[in-house]
């Protein structure tokens, strides 16, 4: 009041609060004990007034103040403070003693604020230059996206590198490179539970097969469309994996090509010929010649056998499996096989999707390309929600950034500016990350939502500070110079706050970029880089556009159409920015409610209950293989999976045990031929290997060769001499015998791909035994999931089993699923490790930037409580720990810290000794920005709840949890904790109007000493009171 009234009287340049307080203290001292020098004779008084009129006004350099009074550094304040202490009278303002830590905090706060004061001056003084520099730098950085390294292979994204599974895979593929793509149809009768082995049903199945066998495909273009200009065509027999034994009988003089393709089905009994099937009068008799009961159960679902004779009498499902020779290559991080993929789409899927042409059958089917088609199509289809979410954010920003929705005071242009800043930060960050060689995977598509939440939050904080610096000052009275000063003060007010949150976000993600999971590490590295650009552009680009928009409003030009001048209505006269409805709500209703004694008790008990609930959920939160969840609910893949689970429950993931070194294989020939005895009885307990009773669950060339040698000798496979053990007598004869036995037209052609030779086929490098795990699934809250815990047990037990075969070394197990299981094995520990490290680093960063141990501890604890509760709600909502949720939990650390850090930092710059009053001012100042930022993020992400994609839907649920829990912790729990345990404010903290301290009383409360009426001080005081 003293400073303001003195400026009005003397028309002086504004006086800095620190100066005015010191002068005011001296002024009060003089009032209480005026010296004779203060009393002037009448003639001297008149002379003094004339000198005041004629003497040039002393120019007082203006120091840009903020509500935290940060313009003077602590070093600049020390001499003034010492001078005040030396002359301090009993009724002067007392000084709070500052500890060493508090002094350090004051210096850190002063340094950060002074930096943003200077930055704000530049951006406000040269806004167009600032915008130009920001655009140029962003565009240059975005150029790095030309080197974007996309990666979609799961084994390169979600599998720890250099693991045992990776070593096993590399060794296995060195002997047995990828050989086949898998296509399967499961045919059931139209009537549920009906017999599918009727002649009509089998004829329909044969017709379907003939359509698949004779269908023709053409090469495709890059966009997936058929290349009509090409003359190349392909059929099943051109592309299939070569193998013998696919037909019941083979005429080698005039062979049918399908008989040399790897196809597994009971239709082989009629040599895949419709006429032969139609002529058969004893269908069941023919089928009973297929093989053993176990062989039939491998290709027939719910097969029924006569209890007396053991013969097949009925079945509910038939499986037909086709294998195509692998022709894949890696291009741009994607595994592509254009020739086979074209056949799968144009022939196989086209045939089985048109099920109406087979009236007696219901078809469930799967192709190798199915997962990519369905998952990729779902993601692509839901990308429209990204656009909708940004539109929602734009509308909400436009409605809340300004003082009015429409008309004078609206800020729709600033809403657009905030989105442009987020887009610039996104493309610039992606460009720099690409230049650094970081991989880009499918899950990176959620980054725009993360950046939207953080960027909108920063925009609200800066805009709020900009408005509060104008409270009570009409725009018309503010020239360009004063606007520059306001821009400087507002960024000094907001800069430290957004720095605290951005730095904690950046470090939280940077820590998680050390994860052993490549996709998680890359995602967090991308996020860290993007957050840096968000912080830099928010402080520069957004501040500059805010200044330009303020000039537009001052000139009474229309929002978004700044070239058009508005006609001012009487009710739109600008009388200066006022406290909005939300700040009034926080000051008058919210703060009094939670800071009352009853409010504090209820708050603490409520959040204690939430924390206990979170602990319970955290302990019980499972790690699961949720691969099925990535498939849309209405996808044919889910229909196939359900049918396979019902009719072929023992049919699971293939397992191969590879034995190396031909000499060792020959030496252990007897044991290897009887390997089935070592893997029997393991289906009910780890390693959960299916019983080796059929060709589908046990395939061993040594077993097959031994049986053939016992039955037929070597006459048809080279004529090698056999020893007493029934095996060739030398290693050389053994190799030549097995080569001829596994030839494409040999009796053991089924095993053709199970032996790896050297280039001359005179030495065996390795051979493999094919086994199969039982189907390891479980039901989790109504959903069928692959059981990750049992898969881990199966993998570990399999390795232990193979290592225990000391007489059969060197050997090792391999399954394509091991790569994913390695990820399941560590993803839970990775989650807790990354979250724990992130929270710890957040604590350190908050301690450095907030520069107070107590406040830093309360903020960090608040974030930790929030994360624990998020994990608890994940368990309650049925969200498991998987490759998607683990990323979203790491995101939750970065997002939830924002809501608490803004409040904690603002509390430190609110002066006074009454913590309840400081908390009230904190909520009135920062509460609306935090709430609006959270609400805008929630509304934008809530759109994704309509998505069918598992990735986006899980993101939406976890984001909603993060926003809701984060904002209630930041606006309810943390304020209560600060009111109870909050430390002293910074030395430069502002004093709210309703907080009284000695030496800053209102003029009306000061008693005027009775001195000579001509006393200069008496005249000044009388003028002030008047």
């Amino acid at each position: 009041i003293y400073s303001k009234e003195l400026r009005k009287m003397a028309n002086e340049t504004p006086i800095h609060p620190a100066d005015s307080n010191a002068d005011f203290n001296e002024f009060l001292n003089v009032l209480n004990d005026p010296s004779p020098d203060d009393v002037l004779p009448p003639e001297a008084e008149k002379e003094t007034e004339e000198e005041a009129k004629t003497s040039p006004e002393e120019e007082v350099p203006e120091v840009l103040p903020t509500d935290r009074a940060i313009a003077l550094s602590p070093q600049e304040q020390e001499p003034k403070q010492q001078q005040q202490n030396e002359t301090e009278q009993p009724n002067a303002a007392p000084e709070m003693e500052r500890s060493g830590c508090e002094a350090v905090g004051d210096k850190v706060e002063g340094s950060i604020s002074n930096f943003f004061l200077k930055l704000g001056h530049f951006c406000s003084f040269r806004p167009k230059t600032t915008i130009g520099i920001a655009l140029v730098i962003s565009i240059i950085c975005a150029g790095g996206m030309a080197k974007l390294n996309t990666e979609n292979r799961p084994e390169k994204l979600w599998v720890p590198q250099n693991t045992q599974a990776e070593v096993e895979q590399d060794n296995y593929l060195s002997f047995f490179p990828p050989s086949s793509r898998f296509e399967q149809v499961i045919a059931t009768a139209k009537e549920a539970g009906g017999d599918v082995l009727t002649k009509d049903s089998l004829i329909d199945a044969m017709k379907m097969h003939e359509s698949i066998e004779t269908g023709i495909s053409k090469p495709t273009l890059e966009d997936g469309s058929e290349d009509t200009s090409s003359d190349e065509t392909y059929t099943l027999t051109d592309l299939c994996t070569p193998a013998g034994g696919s037909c019941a009988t083979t005429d080698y003089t005039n062979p049918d090509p399908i008989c040399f393709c790897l196809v597994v089905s009971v239709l082989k009994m009629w040599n895949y010929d419709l006429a032969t099937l139609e002529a058969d009068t004893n269908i069941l008799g023919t089928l009973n010649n297929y093989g053993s009961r176990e062989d039939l159960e491998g290709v027939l679902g719910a097969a029924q056998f006569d209890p007396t004779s053991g013969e097949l009498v009925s079945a509910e499902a038939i499986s037909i499996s086709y294998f195509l020779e692998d022709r894949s290559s890696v291009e741009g991080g994607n595994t592509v096989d254009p020739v086979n993929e074209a056949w799968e789409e144009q022939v196989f899927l086209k045939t089985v999707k048109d099920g109406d042409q087979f009236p007696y059958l219901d078809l469930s089917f799967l192709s190798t390309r199915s997962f990519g088609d369905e998952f990729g199509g779902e993601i692509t289809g839901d990308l429209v929600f990204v656009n909708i979410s940004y539109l929602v954010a734009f509308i909400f920003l436009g409605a809340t950034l300004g003082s009015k929705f429409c008309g004078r005071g609206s800020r729709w242009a600033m809403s657009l500016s905030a989105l442009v800043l987020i887009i610039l930060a996104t493309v610039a960050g992606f460009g720099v990350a690409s230049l650094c060689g970081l991989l880009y995977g499918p899950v990176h598509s959620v980054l725009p939502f993360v950046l939207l939440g953080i960027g909108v939050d920063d925009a609200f904080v800066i805009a709020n500070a900009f408005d509060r610096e104008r409270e009570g000052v009409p725009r018309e009275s503010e020239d360009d110079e004063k606007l520059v000063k306001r821009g400087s003060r507002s960024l000094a007010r907001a800069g430290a706050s957004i720095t605290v949150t951005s730095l904690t976000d950046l470090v939280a993600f940077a820590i998680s970029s050390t994860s052993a999971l490549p996709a998680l590490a890359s995602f967090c590295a991308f996020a860290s880089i993007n957050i840096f650009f968000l912080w830099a552009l928010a402080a520069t680009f957004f501040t500059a556009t805010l200044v330009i928009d303020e000039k537009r409003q001052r000139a009474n030009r229309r929002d978004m159409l700044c070239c058009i001048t508005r006609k001012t209505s009487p009710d739109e006269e600008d009388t200066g920015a006022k406290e909005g409805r939300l700040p009034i709500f926080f000051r008058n209703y919210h703060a009094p409610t939670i800071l009352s004694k009853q409010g504090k008790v209820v708050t603490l008990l409520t959040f204690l209950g939430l924390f206990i609930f979170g602990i319970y959920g955290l302990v019980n939160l499972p790690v699961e293989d949720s691969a099925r969840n990535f498939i849309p609910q209405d996808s044919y893949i889910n229909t196939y999976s359900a049918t396979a689970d019902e009719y072929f429950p023992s049919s699971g993931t293939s397992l191969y045990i590879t034995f190396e070194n031909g000499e060792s294989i020959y030496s252990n020939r007897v044991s290897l031929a009887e390997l089935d005895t070592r893997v029997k009885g393991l289906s009910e307990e780890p390693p959960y290997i299916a019983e080796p009773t059929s060709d589908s669950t046990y395939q061993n060339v040594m077993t097959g060769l031994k049986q053939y040698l016992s039955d037929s000798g070597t006459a048809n496979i080279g004529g090698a001499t056999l020893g007493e053990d029934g095996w060739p007598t030398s290693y050389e004869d053994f190799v030549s015998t097995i080569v001829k036995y596994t030839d494409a037209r040999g009796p053991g052609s089924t095993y053709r791909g199970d032996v790896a030779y050297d280039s001359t086929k005179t030495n065996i490098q390795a051979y493999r035994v094919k086994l199969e795990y039982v189907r390891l699934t479980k039901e989790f809250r109504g959903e069928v999931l692959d059981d990750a815990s049992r898969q881990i047990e199966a993998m570990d037990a399999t390795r232990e089993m193979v290592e225990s075969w000391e007489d059969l070394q060197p050997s090792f197990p391999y399954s394509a699923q091991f790569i994913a299981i390695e990820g399941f094995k560590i993803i839970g520990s990775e989650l807790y490790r990354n979250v724990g490290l992130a929270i710890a680093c957040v604590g350190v960063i908050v301690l450095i930037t907030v520069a107070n141990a107590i406040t830093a501890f309360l903020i960090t604890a608040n974030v930790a409580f929030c994360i624990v509760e998020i994990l608890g709600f994940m368990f309650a909502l049925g969200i498991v720990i998987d490759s998607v949720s683990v990323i979203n939990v790491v995101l939750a650390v970065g997002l939830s810290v924002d809501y608490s850090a803004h409040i904690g930092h603002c509390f430190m710059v609110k002066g006074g000794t009454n913590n309840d009053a400081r908390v009230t001012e904190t909520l009135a100042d920062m509460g609306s920005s935090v709430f609006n930022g959270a609400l805008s993020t929630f509304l934008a992400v809530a759109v994704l709840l309509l998505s069918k994609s598992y990735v986006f839907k899980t993101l939406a649920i976890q984001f909603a949890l993060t926003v809701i829990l984060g904002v209630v912790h930041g606006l309810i729990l943390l304020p209560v904790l600060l009111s109870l345990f909050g430390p002293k404010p910074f030395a430069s903290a502002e004093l709210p109007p309703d907080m009284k301290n000695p030496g800053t009383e209102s003029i009306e409360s000061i008693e005027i000493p009775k001195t000579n009426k001509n006393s200069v001080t008496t005249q000044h005081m009388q003028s002030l009171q008047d």
Side-chain angles (χ1 to χ4, degrees), residues 127-128 131 483 543-553:
K128 294 180 181 178
I131 293 173
L483 181 57
T543 300
T545 56
L546 200 57
V547 170
I548 293 176
D549 184 73
E550 194 69 10
K551 291 181 180 180
R552 186 270 307 170
Q553 296 199 52

Side-chain angles (χ1 to χ4, degrees), residues 65-87:
T66 71
D67 284 353
R68 295 173 301 201
I70 47 74
L72 286 182
S73 67
Q75 293 83 353
E76 293 171 322
Q77 294 175 16
E78 286 176 3
K80 188 175 291 293
Q81 187 63 47
Q82 291 173 1
Q83 181 181 359
Q84 179 180 341
N85 292 339
E86 290 171 359
T87 60

